Amino acid sequence: MTKDDGRREQVGGAAAPADEPLARRNTWGFGLGTLGRDMVAAMVTMFLMVYLTEVLDLTNSTLAAVTVVLVVLRVFDAVNDPVMGLIVDNTRSRFGKFKPWIAGGAVAWALGTALLFTDFGLEGAAFVLAFTACYLVWEIAYTVNDISYYGMVPALSRNQTERERIGVVARLCANIGMFAVVVGIVPITNVLEGALGSATSAWLVFAVAISVIMLAFQTITLVATRQRVGTDSPPPTRLSELFAVIARNDQLLWVTAAMFLFMTGFTATAGFGLYYFTYIYGDDGMYAVFAAILGVTQIAGLLSFPLVAAKLSRRQVFTLASGVCAVGYILFAFAGTEVVLIGVAGVAIFFAQAYIQLLIMMFIADCVEYGQWKLGRRNESVTFSLQPFLYKAASAAASGIVGLTLILSGINEADGPADLDSGGVALFKFAMFGVPVLGIAVSWIMVRRKYVLDEDTYAGVVADLRERERAGGDE
């Protein structure tokens, strides 16, 4: 047992009263760490394209090359996520298998973020090469931190209710961090630009500031959390076994595929947000107001999740959230410039998306025990590597959708709404609203028909694991 392992949790049951202080410590220690992480992630996934088009003012040819780089590297990095999961699962250290990678990845991630928003004064092919190198550093560091960070979730508790509590706090903190960037990036960079005399310098200072915040909150996680499940040291998983661990976990594959479709549409919508208010609505100042409302909405959604989950099954919650989200998209598509309708649509989308985002984490966490039950091996990080895989794959697909849409609709070369024709507006709206609705519909069908790891099935899996552990003398 490593120093980081702490006391072992009762398998499948509620935490013992003596463990409750540790449960609270894990819940808040893990959750607070997501605040800074999602600030950095939001700036790059949602605003890197804005920085490239509106601050650096890339040409169409350079933007097309950068879009290809983003798609290729995000797909490449996503495919490497399971390999990083294997490395983490096979790590043995006095600090446990997760924390060394969390710490090292966070430091490198902060450096990569600063590099991405540094203006090297390059153009054309030279810029694309430099951008590729900087983005590769960012992506690798993100992978190292993300796989080890979320891989720790199943090791903090095996109790579904406690996992939901950890997930709610984590998503609350993550959304606070994300929407702090979404709401603050435009007014803060405008103030910094006035003080520094340069938009590029303003964006760099902002990127460095949120990177420092990320490191501070990651330190809280490193100090506060203690592993409670899986304190044994099984034989290392060989590279040749890696994809078998994933491919034979059918529940993990189905939920990952379904959530990829949903998150591709949602991520594209988020990437289009500032462009929508600038070029379609005609007032970019409304973006910060709209984002603030949606931030409060998502937090309200996360806070209400335990109440709804107490009344409905996870499958029913998923169906409800998918329906509300789809209705929100359809309403948004036909809202025009009616700010009230836009607001109602945005609230519906983001309230429901908060539920689905949390369900993604819970579904994948439960697949750890399912994989252990089916394959006889507990691989937290390999299994949870499918969560960042789906986010990165969705981000890659969304980047392609956003970049191509900006070029084909004419937005990249437009100075304002008057420069767009009706065809360009229609294409933009279909990419922002139509694509997500299609993704929601297909993902709902996949979860309903193929994901069978409901509460009763999971309880049976954990009960069987308990019996196996007792039979093996693993108390």
Side-chain angles (χ1 to χ4, degrees), residues 224-390:
T225 56
R226 293 292 182 271
Q227 182 176 331
R228 302 169 67 200
V229 182
T231 58
D232 53 339
S233 297
T237 303
R238 297 189 299 272
L239 183 61
S240 60
E241 300 173 311
L242 171 61
F243 292 103
V245 170
I246 296 172
R248 292 172 63 191
N249 193 327
D250 55 296
Q251 296 301 286
L252 178 64
L253 291 178
W254 281 116
V255 75
T256 301
M259 295 310 177
F260 164 77
L261 294 174
F262 176 87
M263 288 307 301
T264 295
F266 179 78
T267 305
T269 298
F272 282 128
L274 184 55
Y275 294 105
Y276 176 87
F277 282 97
T278 302
Y279 295 98
I280 307 300
Y281 184 81
D283 182 6
D284 61 355
M286 282 296 297
Y287 177 72
V289 177
F290 185 72
I293 294 172
L294 298 189
V296 173
T297 297
Q298 252 198 348
I299 291 171
L302 291 168
L303 288 172
S304 69
F305 181 89
L307 300 176
V308 176
K311 301 292 185 182
L312 303 176
S313 69
R314 287 182 177 176
R315 186 186 296 270
Q316 290 171 327
V317 173
F318 181 75
T319 296
L320 175 64
S322 297
V324 172
C325 201
V327 170
Y329 272 115
I330 295 170
L331 182 61
F332 207 150
F334 294 98
T337 57
E338 293 293 329
V339 67
V340 174
L341 290 180
I342 291 174
V344 171
V347 166
I349 293 170
F350 279 77
F351 190 92
Q353 192 272 341
Y355 279 34
I356 293 177
Q357 198 172 38
L358 185 56
L359 286 171
I360 291 173
M361 184 187 300
M362 297 301 101
F363 287 158
I364 294 178
D366 290 350
C367 287
V368 172
E369 278 72 37
Y370 177 79
Q372 182 183 4
W373 172 78
K374 185 175 182 179
L375 306 176
R377 182 189 295 272
R378 185 177 180 86
N379 290 101
E380 296 104 334
S381 293
V382 170
T383 302
F384 241 90
S385 70
L386 270 291
Q387 174 172 284
F389 170 86
L390 78 88

